[in-house]
Amino acid sequence: MSPVFPTVREVLALDPVRRGAPRLVAGEAGLDRPVRWVHVAEVPDIATLLGGGELVLTTGIGLPADDAGLRAFIGDLAEVGVSGLVVELGRRYLSEVPRVMAVAAERRGLPLVELRRATPFVRITEAVHALIVDAQLHELRATEEIHQRFTDLSVEGAGAAEVVRQAAELAGCPVVLENLSRQVLAYDPAGESADLLLDGWEQHSRRIRPTGRTAYDVGSGWLVTTVGARGQDWGRLLLRWPAGADLGDGRPVGAPPTRLTILVERAASTLALGRLIQRDVEGLERQLHRTLLTALLDHSRPVDEIALRARALGVTLDRRHLVGIMVRHRRDTTAGHPSPGEGGPPVDGPGPPPTPSARPAPTTSPDPEAGPARLRDLAEAVGQALRETKLSGLTSPVDDQAVGVLLALPDAAAEERALAAFAAALRRRHPDQPSPGGSGHRLTVIVAAGSGVGSLREVRRSLVEARQLAEAARRDRRDLPIFRLPHVGLAGLLHLLRDEPRLQTFVERELGALLAHDAQHPREQLLGTLRAYLEQGRNKSAGAAAAHLSRPAFYERLARIGRILGVDLDSVEACLSLHVALLALDAIRTP
């Protein structure tokens, strides 16, 4: 029942009730039950007419005269879920209610209250119903503001950080957006300590396990909803509402008010919608290029239509050798090491993009326009390189970090020569540049090319491969003119897929039970034991030495790991799956 309803305790504090000199006879444990309505009754079978949540007022004149009848009367009220029973003394019961009523009410946890002075019941009903209506009106107005605020954010195409900030402002509570691997993508502490909020977040988040798509976890005090669209969930939005918090007037509640449930669900919808909206400020021709490249990547249009529209733009894709290319920046130091404040990769799939709140802050305050401006410059340089080399193809930014190219060549024999010429022209047009802010870093250009294909129906594979290669190349220190598939190993592949929900789901499926165990037992981290065992090629003696444990202790831990995960650690196939999951977990946790 919604916390907008007053509790029995609050009703007893109202002036019309206090004038009746109320005395609690039994059921103190139920005083915080919400009161949905007040009902006056003088018949013994009133329970059949009630729906639960009512506070029943009676003078007792129609109640049974025998003890069994009184016990049945109390039992029926408790069964239907009434909030409490108030009996006015003076008509049927002169000085107190029968003891059998008090005992029955106490046993069922039903608040039983005596009014020792005559009180007009209408005054009580008016006061309680006014309180209910006023609270519901307040809730309705708050809900309207929530809907309006998030509608505006959706129309404006606000980023994840802004949506989370607005949610925290409306709720007055900390809000956190995380991905499926429990990594924080954005947060707002709502005036509280961010360090305390995020300290040990992954372990803390794994303990928050509510049931349902939107639910409140009483034990942790977090209201949680799943974030995703089109059947692809990519994260969770969490709002902290500790049990026992108050609504602003000092009254404690055990669950968040309905408006906060509405708030997190609307915020989650806005986040999901934002992933589906791409704002574009390019020219019409570039927009068409982007539309066609996007359609090839997500299979949203028939390939025959794409070929027809491309031909209308002067780019022939039929009967051509097609190669997907992705071009992006890699911020680098002059010594060839990654900058510590480097942000995460763009998303290659349904997962959410990293936000400023999710990554370490740079040492200087970046210009918010610098990123889009650099991307526009890079897109222009790519277009100029294509024109300079007289190559034909589609080109456009495909996300916030990369420029995509679909190169259309007359035959496969021209592939290597064309790629080399394009890469050389691009570097002439867009040489390495100093990083903004005078940090001593430089921006290098990564050119990654997928495998060439002979049909437009296969071109998505080449484009996706190029995107993955470009992302993996950010961790590769080699200065290669063009990155191709042979340059990327398993670790690189897993790193470039780290924001892919399906990979995160695989990690959770393989290691989730063990990670949850370690979160519950921080002094006994079994994940390290499993890592040592797998990294030593399943050699238990070498694993024990690597883990600095005696062999009996190491063997006992392995047995426990096997029971927790439900796997046979002597199985090569099971261990291979676990080892890949560990590598994927490392990739997910590494910025």
Side-chain angles (χ1 to χ4, degrees), residues 78-144:
E79 285 295 329
V80 80
V82 302
S83 300
L85 174 63
V86 177
V87 181
E88 183 187 77
L89 302 179
R91 296 176 185 267
R92 174 69 180 276
Y93 308 118
L94 298 179
S95 59
E96 61 181 4
V97 297
R99 177 170 175 75
V100 66
M101 286 183 65
V103 172
E106 184 66 30
R107 183 180 300 115
R108 303 301 294 266
L110 179 68
L112 175 59
V113 179
E114 296 174 341
L115 292 181
R116 291 167 290 175
R117 286 201 295 264
T119 305
F121 283 171
V122 66
R123 299 286 184 266
I124 297 176
T125 58
E126 285 176 345
V128 175
H129 294 167
L131 192 63
I132 292 172
V133 171
D134 183 65
Q136 290 178 326
L137 181 60
H138 174 76
E139 194 84 351
L140 178 61
R141 287 171 177 166
T143 300
E144 288 177 349

Side-chain angles (χ1 to χ4, degrees), residues 2-44:
S2 172
V4 300
F5 296 112
T7 64
V8 176
R9 190 189 307 275
E10 291 175 308
V11 170
L12 296 181
L14 294 174
D15 286 341
V17 181
R18 291 172 61 188
R19 291 193 187 100
R23 184 173 75 90
L24 180 67
V25 176
E28 183 177 3
L31 286 178
D32 290 321
R33 291 181 177 180
V35 177
R36 184 177 59 85
W37 205 245
V38 178
H39 195 85
V40 179
E42 298 294 354
V43 292

